[in-house]
Each structure stands twice: as structure tokens, then as C-alpha cells.
């Protein structure tokens, strides 16, 4: 029997057509799409409005996609995390140390609540509510909240690409949390750190060497990865890094490969650290070679980044203000840029930054610097008034 209706495509959506009936205007939905190489046809009519027809179309598409996914496998977030992480390692996108760090993050933040949830059941609303509550409960920084969302978003985005879900719900998430810790040091605090390095009876030569290189704007992993062959008396080469998982790798970027001049004091401190390392290596049955690390523990093993963190925590307690290795990089930038005649490019090269703008970002300024600037401006205005 021939179809008795005449259909007219809607300009708003050609897959929806209207047609006249004795009861008034009605709408039909008719469209096709392909899922996993198979054509799917959807057709239904009798809708009383365009909006009703459009809502059916959207729901029909989602239901069909979900049914196809469910037939394939009902993956939980845990299930897919394993696939996602393994593929990152196999493709070379993640080093083993990166994979370990990501695994720690997933287990710490996402696994308990989300691990057994089906991918298809993750909703934006539930994730947003959970994240907001979780950040408050654990007093997390906003940067940590962003890190958690990036991790969950990565999982869901990859699942979407592999057609296991019909849309990524982790979009336009509002990341909250406390502001990060103040990384600035006053000049007085900076001088206290240097005096602690010089005179504290609780420090050995290795620990003094770690602090002095951190004060020369080396990153924590670069300090841990400093080898004897990179020490040249009045300067060090920064060509490798040692992370907390025992991986020795190239530095993070081409710009990070650099030579850093040393003060005479720094040279002497590093010579003492090298002498101590030679003794430790001998006590553990072998001489020190050019390819050995300068900073070692009493067993002759590397002075990992975790040890550096512990050292700075002890220093914070002794000095009664917070100090971390990265804060010395910020302090270096702040005080170097305040020097009259300092070349910004030289500062950037020492810090291992490709762009001077990044080194300027590390320049946090100081209250003393602000006062000096205002006084200089006032003096200039008065002399030219």
C-alpha cells in the first residue's frame, strides 16, 4: 500500500519531516547511521511537534549507541583504566616512571569512588558533585582538582574515541580548591637558607651540595642526576635527571640542556660533596667513576628526589618557614632580575627556559623590591617635578 502522506523536510533538521493529517500537522523522524560498520535505520512518525520529534531522534541515537556498546562489553572505569594505561606505555606516550606516577594518582583519587562504576553510567552532574565535595573534604589545591579532572577526562575521552560511550561527560567541569602555597621568599629568608647551608651542624657535605645546586636554579631531578663527569670546577653541565622512581633520563627539553656557572663557594662545597661520595663508593667496594652520581646515600645509592624533599622539610622545620627546592628557582629568578644590568636571556639560559617570558613568570617579586621601586619612583618624580 502506497504511503498516503506527503513529507516535507524541516530546514532546521532534514532528518525530521512534517506532513498534514486530518488531525493537524504531524512530524516524522527518519535517518540512518553506521555503528561498527553496520547501518542502523531509525524511523517513527506521529509526533505532535518538531521538538517532540527532535527529542526522540536524540534518544533513539543514544539508545542505539548504548545498546551496541553494551553488546561489546560493559566496561567499568577500572577495566578501562587498565586498557588506557597499558596502551599509553606500549605506544611510548608514557615512560615507566610516568605510568607509575599516573597509577599512584588514579589509585589515590579515582579508584575508590569510580573504579566499579560502568563507563556508560558516569554523568557530568555526579562527577561535578563528587569532585566539589572531595576537594573540600581533603582540602585540595585547585591545581590538584585540575589534575584529577584531566585524568578522568583522559579516560573518558579515550573511551569515546573507541566508541565505548556516546559522549564524554567530563566537559566544562568547575575545578575548585584552595590557592597554591606562596612560593616567594624574602631576601632575608633567602639569606637564612644560605646561612643554614653554610653553618648548620646537622648537614653533611652531600646535603650542602644539594642545597647549593638548588640555589643555582637547578630542578630537583637535575640535582639528583648530577654526575661527576658534569662537574667542571667553575661550572656544571645539566644534561640528565634522576626522578623518584630511579629512572635516569635526558632533561625535560632542549632548553634544559645547559651549562650553569658556579660561585667559588659552590665549587668548594661540591668538591667536598665529591670527596664524601668517593669515600662512600670505596666503603661499598668500588672506586667512584666519571659516570657516577655526586650525591649518594650512605649505602652508595642515588640521593633520590624523595631524599631532597625530606632534606628541605627538615630545613623548613629548623628555619621555621616553608622552603622547597622549587622555591629556590623562583628566588633565583626574582633576585637575578632585580640586578642592575642583568641580561634576561642569561637568566633564562641558566634556568633552562626556552623563553625569557617563562623565567619572568618565576619572578615573584618581593615586598622589599616593591618598597624600593616606590621609593625610586617617588625620588624620580620629585627630582623632575
Amino acid at each position: 500500500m502506497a504511503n498516503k502522506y506527503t513529507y516535507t523536510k524541516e530546514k532546521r533538521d532534514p532528518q525530521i519531516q512534517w506532513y498534514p493529517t486530518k488531525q493537524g500537522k504531524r512530524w516524522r523522524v527518519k535517518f540512518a547511521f553506521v555503528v561498527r560498520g553496520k547501518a542502523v535505520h531509525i524511523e517513527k512518525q506521529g509526533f505532535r511537534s518538531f521538538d517532540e520529534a527532535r527529542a526522540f531522534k536524540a534518544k533513539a541515537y543514544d539508545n542505539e549507541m548504548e545498546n551496541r556498546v553494551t553488546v561489546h562489553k560493559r566496561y567499568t572505569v577500572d577495566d578501562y583504566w587498565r586498557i588506557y594505561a597499558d596502551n599509553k606505555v606500549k605506544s611510548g606516550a608514557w615512560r615507566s616512571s610516568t605510568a607509575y606516577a599516573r597509577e599512584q594518582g588514579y589509585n589515590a583519587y579515582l579508584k575508590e569512588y569510580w573504579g566499579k562504576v560502568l563507563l556508560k553510567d558516569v554523568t557530568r552532574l555526579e562527577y561535578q558533585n563528587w569532585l566539589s565535595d572531595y576537594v573540600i573534604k581533603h582540602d585540595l589545591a585547585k591545581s590538584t582538582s585540575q589534575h584529577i579532572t584531566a585524568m578522568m577526562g583522559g579516560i573518558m575521552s579515550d573511551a569515546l574515541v573507541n566508541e565505548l560511550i556516546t559522549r564524554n561527560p567530563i566537559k566544562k567541569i568547575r575545578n575548585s580548591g584552595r590557592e597554591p602555597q606562596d612560593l616567594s621568599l624574602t631576601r632575608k629568608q633567602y639569606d637564612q637558607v644560605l646561612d643554614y647551608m653554610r653553618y648548620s651542624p646537622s648537614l653533611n657535605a652531600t646535603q650542602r651540595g644539594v642545597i647549593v645546586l638548588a640555589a643555582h636554579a637547578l630542578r630537583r631531578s637535575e640535582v639528583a642526576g648530577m654526575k661527576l663527569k658534569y662537574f667542571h670546577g667553575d661550572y656544571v653541565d645539566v644534561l640528565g635527571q634522576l626522578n623518584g622512581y630511579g629512572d635516569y633520563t635526558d632533561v625535560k627539553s632542549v632548553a634544559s640542556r645547559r651549562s650553569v656557572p658556579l660561585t667559588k663557594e659552590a665549587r668548594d662545597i661540591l668538591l667536598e660533596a665529591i670527596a664524601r661520595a668517593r669515600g662512600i663508593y670505596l666503603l661499598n667496594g668500588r672506586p667512584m667513576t666519571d659516570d657516577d652520581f655526586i650525591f649518594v646515600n650512605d649505602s652508595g645509592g642515588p640521593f633520590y628526589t624523595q631524599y631532597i624533599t625530606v632534606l628541605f622539610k627538615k630545613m623548613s622545620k629548623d628555619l621555621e618557614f616553608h622552603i622547597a627546592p622549587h622555591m629556590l628557582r623562583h628566588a633565583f629568578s626574582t633576585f637575578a632580575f632585580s640586578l642592575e644590568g642583568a641580561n634576561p636571556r642569561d637568566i633564562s639560559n641558566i634556568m633552562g627556559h626556552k623563553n625569557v617570558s617563562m623565567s619572568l613568570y618565576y619572578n615573584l617579586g618581593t615586598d622589599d623590591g616593591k618598597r624600593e621601586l616606590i621609593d625610586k619612583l617617588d625620588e624620580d618624580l620629585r627630582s623632575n617635578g
Side-chain angles (χ1 to χ4, degrees):
M1 180 178 175
N3 197 318
K4 62 180 180 179
Y5 298 118
T6 300
Y7 299 96
T8 303
K9 292 181 179 179
E10 285 277 5
K11 291 182 179 180
R12 294 171 286 181
D13 186 340
Q15 293 176 340
I16 299 176
Q17 306 91 37
W18 68 269
Y19 57 96
T21 71
K22 293 180 180 179
Q23 292 76 32
K25 199 173 183 180
R26 296 289 185 269
W27 280 261
R28 177 182 73 167
V29 173
K30 184 179 182 181
F31 68 103
F33 57 98
V34 177
V35 182
R36 299 186 183 279
K38 295 183 179 180
V40 178
H41 298 274
I42 303 292
E43 181 175 357
K44 186 176 181 179
Q45 63 186 34
F47 299 103
R48 294 179 176 273
S49 70
F50 172 81
D51 288 340
E52 184 182 358
R54 182 167 56 182
F56 167 80
K57 176 189 169 184
K59 186 174 182 180
Y61 177 83
D62 286 349
N63 287 343
E64 189 62 36
M65 291 293 289
E66 184 175 312
N67 289 338
R68 300 274 170 164
V69 168
T70 302
V71 168
H72 182 66
K73 186 175 180 182
R74 293 168 64 84
Y75 285 106
T76 65
V77 174
D78 257 351
D79 292 333
Y80 200 72
W81 165 254
R82 289 268 57 84
I83 296 171
Y84 174 69
D86 288 347
N87 286 337
K88 287 288 188 180
V89 173
K90 290 175 183 176
S91 68
W94 288 356
R95 296 172 176 169
S96 58
S97 57
T98 303
Y100 180 82
R102 296 289 190 274
E103 184 74 21
Q104 295 291 98
Y106 175 80
N107 290 338
Y109 300 122
L110 294 174
K111 183 178 179 66
E112 182 179 356
Y113 187 90
W114 294 103
K116 302 306 178 186
V117 177
L118 295 175
L119 288 175
K120 70 181 186 66
D121 291 338
V122 177
T123 67
R124 182 190 178 282
L125 180 60
E126 184 179 7
Y127 178 82
Q128 180 69 76
N129 289 338
W130 169 81
L131 181 67
S132 298
D133 292 341
Y134 191 84
V135 165
I136 294 172
K137 180 180 178 180
H138 297 278
D139 189 29
L140 299 181
K142 186 175 182 180
S143 58
T144 303
S145 171
Q146 292 168 335
H147 170 71
I148 294 170
T149 296
M151 194 185 323
M152 187 67 163
I155 296 169
M156 303 305 289
S157 179
D158 198 74
L160 177 63
V161 169
N162 288 310
E163 299 181 359
L164 297 178
I165 52 176
T166 59
R167 59 171 58 89
N168 182 356
I170 313 301
K171 292 287 185 72
K172 297 184 179 180
I173 297 297
R174 296 184 300 277
N175 291 291
S176 55
R178 57 175 169 77
E179 292 303 312
Q181 286 183 308
D182 183 7
L183 297 178
S184 64
L185 291 173
T186 66
R187 186 53 189 261
K188 180 180 178 181
Q189 289 173 325
Y190 185 70
D191 289 340
Q192 286 179 273
V193 170
L194 297 184
D195 284 342
Y196 183 88
M197 174 193 72
R198 295 177 182 120
Y199 308 122
S200 174
S202 67
L203 298 181
N204 59 41
T206 298
Q207 294 166 326
R208 295 186 204 283
V210 166
I211 297 171
V212 82
L213 282 189
H216 278 65
L218 270 68
R219 299 174 178 92
R220 186 178 57 162
S221 59
E222 295 169 345
V223 173
M226 183 55 58
K227 294 186 174 184
L228 181 59
K229 63 184 178 183
Y230 298 146
F231 173 72
H232 303 289
D234 60 347
Y235 71 96
V236 292
D237 289 326
V238 184
L239 301 175
Q241 60 180 350
L242 181 70
N243 63 29
Y245 312 108
D247 294 326
Y248 182 79
T249 64
D250 197 359
V251 288
K252 64 184 295 186
S253 66
V254 173
S256 296
R257 297 174 64 87
R258 63 200 189 277
S259 294
V260 176
L262 299 172
T263 63
K264 181 180 181 302
E265 179 183 43
R267 181 199 66 186
D268 293 342
I269 289 174
L270 289 177
L271 285 172
E272 292 177 6
I274 291 169
R276 184 174 188 272
R278 289 188 191 279
I280 291 174
Y281 282 117
L282 286 174
L283 286 173
N284 285 276
R286 67 177 183 85
M288 185 179 188
T289 69
D290 283 348
D291 202 44
D292 281 327
F293 296 114
I294 290 175
F295 305 121
V296 292
N297 58 38
D298 291 341
S299 300
F303 201 82
Y304 291 117
T305 53
Q306 300 98 307
Y307 300 157
I308 297 177
T309 299
V310 171
L311 169 62
F312 274 73
K313 285 184 177 179
K314 179 183 182 303
M315 183 161 52
S316 298
K317 183 178 179 180
D318 291 344
L319 293 175
E320 297 183 346
F321 61 82
H322 178 64
I323 175 69
H326 210 64
M327 293 173 70
L328 290 183
R329 276 177 62 80
H330 283 277
F332 179 89
S333 175
T334 299
F335 300 130
F337 274 109
S338 69
L339 295 175
E340 186 175 353
N343 186 329
R345 183 71 262 176
D346 290 336
I347 297 172
S348 184
N349 287 341
I350 289 173
M351 298 188 70
H353 289 149
K354 180 180 179 180
N355 300 311
V356 173
S357 59
M358 177 56 74
S359 298
L360 282 168
Y361 171 77
Y362 274 62
N363 179 3
L364 299 176
T366 65
D367 290 338
D368 292 340
K370 289 187 290 186
R371 168 49 58 193
E372 184 178 354
L373 177 63
I374 291 297
D375 290 344
K376 285 184 177 180
L377 180 60
D378 181 57
E379 182 181 348
D380 181 71
L381 292 173
R382 289 178 183 277
S383 62
N384 292 290

